[in-house]
Amino acid sequence: MSVYLDHAATSPLRPEARAALLEVLEAPLGNPTGAHRASRHARKLVDEARDQMAAALGCAPGEVIFTSGGTESDNLAVAGVRDATGGALVCSAIEHHAVLDPVLAAGGRTVSVDPLGRVDLEDLVDVLSPGDGPPVRFVSVMAANNEIGTIQDLDAVAAVISEHAPEAVLHTDAVQSFCWLDLATHAAAADLISVSAHKFGGPQGVGALVARNGVPLTPQLRGGGQERDRRSGTHNVAGIVAMAAAASATVAERDATIESVRALRDRLADGLRARVEGLVETAVPIDSHGRPDRSGTLAGCCHVCIEGIESEALLFLLDTEGVAASAASSCASGALDPSHVLAAIGIPRDLARGSLRLTLGHATTTAEVDQAIDAVARSVERLRGRR
Ligand code: PLP
């Protein structure tokens, strides 16, 4: 049996999304900006999807901007506010590169995090304090981290911003959070919210940016003036409709999914702790009863570092055993780069080399989890030369 535990990278299409996608693709479809019947139909589909996304995200329909995915949403937020305000940019040190890179390229600064990956609010105060340069107008703190799953307290971050940089807007990259957090409440304090369909059972290549009314945002794609002039380009109608179907299904089942997946994640993490020597569960403290406290991380995320193991070799062996997992480090060059997230939370470089991220989805089963525990334990033994 093959075991898929890489849902944070991409999650398989949900049946509701597949049905919606096929229905749109198979029907004659006009361009939503046109005037004839086929165009009006396409526009209606996009408008309905916008209503669904707004309901799922706790915003007004007009605040939803459809994009090509999480990367574009993040880039639009960063560059859009930078161009509209000319202000300084700030983000947490553990942002995804889709936020971190444009912020740093624009001369922005990062805010440090504690050993569990939570934003250091005192450092945030320092970074927001006016110096010689322009005032800070943009702060980005992800709702939850894509490698280690740490959930941020966005209300606390927003409170610091409103006291120390009241002109700044708060952006949150919620790409990893949609399945596991009710963003209508968790991200209520954010002015801008990025999501990506393929992380919650929608198709790849489509996403959204919520931009609350009044947030200064200069478009980065100009042309036909779609999305109320905030993002030009013909809509990916089928993708948008399928994303909305996946979003609605995810929200409807969210509470039950979180409960069942959390139990499976705990089984997985407890099993790995019991079977693999020298394994450290990342960003998980031990409570006063001596038990791991995973309440600060996403329900579907299990991240560990294994002493004396190279992620690449472990992932190769897991793949041969039919287990799809990730090291959650950048590997565009073929070689795994050390993770900026693990460095920021103080994991020593040697230990970080043995990082392993196993991420679960709504359809993950107990049998998959048990097979993964066996496969990791066996592969680590092999790499340590004991088998
Ligand atoms: N932000 C986070 C936190 C992510 O995990 C990812 C993808 O892994 C992205 C942004 C980029 O999203 P997309 O793949 O839709 O471009």
Side-chain angles (χ1 to χ4, degrees):
M1 180 180 74
S2 67
V3 174
Y4 188 79
L5 291 177
D6 201 13
H7 289 264
T10 199
S11 201
L13 208 56
R14 292 185 73 113
E16 301 85 353
R18 180 187 307 275
L21 191 63
L22 293 177
E23 198 181 323
V24 177
L25 288 176
E26 279 164 7
L29 198 66
N31 188 316
T33 55
H36 50 68
R37 186 175 308 197
S39 284
R40 291 200 305 274
H41 178 60
R43 193 155 59 242
K44 180 166 168 281
L45 293 177
V46 172
D47 286 345
E48 286 169 1
R50 196 184 303 284
D51 289 346
Q52 281 174 274
M53 291 305 293
L57 293 165
C59 65
E63 294 174 328
V64 175
I65 304 172
F66 290 122
T67 67
S68 65
T71 301
E72 187 193 331
S73 296
D74 286 344
N75 274 253
L76 173 56
V78 176
V81 176
R82 176 202 63 201
D83 291 354
T85 66
L89 313 177
V90 164
C91 71
S92 89
I94 60 168
E95 294 301 305
H96 187 276
H97 284 289
V99 169
L100 190 61
D101 292 4
V103 165
L104 294 180
R109 295 176 65 187
T110 59
V111 180
S112 56
V113 295
D114 71 10
L116 300 182
R118 298 170 303 195
V119 161
D120 179 337
L121 296 177
E122 284 177 19
D123 192 39
L124 179 60
V125 172
D126 284 350
V127 172
L128 293 179
S129 301
D132 293 340
V136 174
R137 296 294 304 268
F138 177 88
V139 179
S140 190
V141 173
M142 64 206 320
N145 183 261
N146 49 300
E147 293 188 30
I148 57 177
T150 300
I151 300 168
Q152 301 290 345
D153 181 347
L154 295 177
D155 290 335
V157 170
V160 171
I161 295 172
S162 70
E163 188 178 341
H164 296 274
E167 295 282 282
V169 296
L170 172 61
H171 166 249
T172 193
D173 175 338
V175 166
Q176 290 294 336
S177 307
F178 191 92
C179 289
W180 315 112
L181 299 174
D182 175 8
L183 295 174
T185 52
H186 188 81
D191 302 293
L192 296 145
I193 306 169
S194 299
V195 294
S196 176
H198 73 107
K199 308 292 187 178
F200 54 87
Q204 297 173 346
V206 59
L209 176 68
V210 171
R212 310 251 188 235
N213 286 329
V215 168
L217 194 74
T218 299
Q220 301 299 306
L221 291 181
R222 297 165 197 268
Q226 287 89 344
E227 297 301 273
R228 290 174 36 195
D229 236 350
R230 295 165 300 180
R231 195 274 189 188
S232 287
T234 298
H235 292 96
N236 170 4
V237 180
I240 288 168
V241 170
M243 169 168 69
S248 297
T250 301
V251 170
E253 294 168 15
R254 194 188 270 137
D255 289 348
T257 302
I258 290 174
E259 204 182 313
S260 64
V261 171
R262 180 175 286 133
L264 287 174
R265 187 273 313 268
D266 290 351
R267 181 185 181 98
L268 174 62
D270 290 341
L272 292 175
R273 276 178 179 270
R275 296 274 302 276
V276 182
E277 255 173 58
L279 176 143
V280 179
E281 208 181 338
T282 318
V284 172
I286 299 298
D287 70 15
S288 54
H289 306 288
R291 287 192 291 261
D293 174 4
R294 304 186 181 105
S295 58
T297 58
L298 294 176
C301 182
C302 172
H303 187 288
V304 298
C305 293
I306 307 173
E307 277 168 19
I309 294 295
E310 294 278 349
S311 301
E312 240 172 319
L314 177 58
L315 291 174
F316 175 77
L317 287 186
L318 289 177
D319 194 29
T320 60
E321 296 231 19
V323 176
S326 164
S329 291
S330 148
C331 55
S333 59
L336 293 176
D337 297 328
S339 154
H340 68 288
V341 175
L342 299 183
I345 64 170
I347 304 277
R349 208 181 151 89
D350 271 357
L351 187 57
R353 291 162 75 97
S355 76
L356 175 67
R357 181 187 69 180
L358 299 160
T359 45
L360 295 74
H362 70 103
T364 301
T365 63
T366 307
E368 283 184 290
V369 163
D370 290 348
Q371 192 175 324
I373 296 169
D374 280 345
V376 173
R378 220 175 9 250
S379 302
V380 169
E381 294 261 292
R382 266 182 76 184
L383 291 170
R384 287 178 175 159
R386 294 185 196 156
R387 278 186 187 219

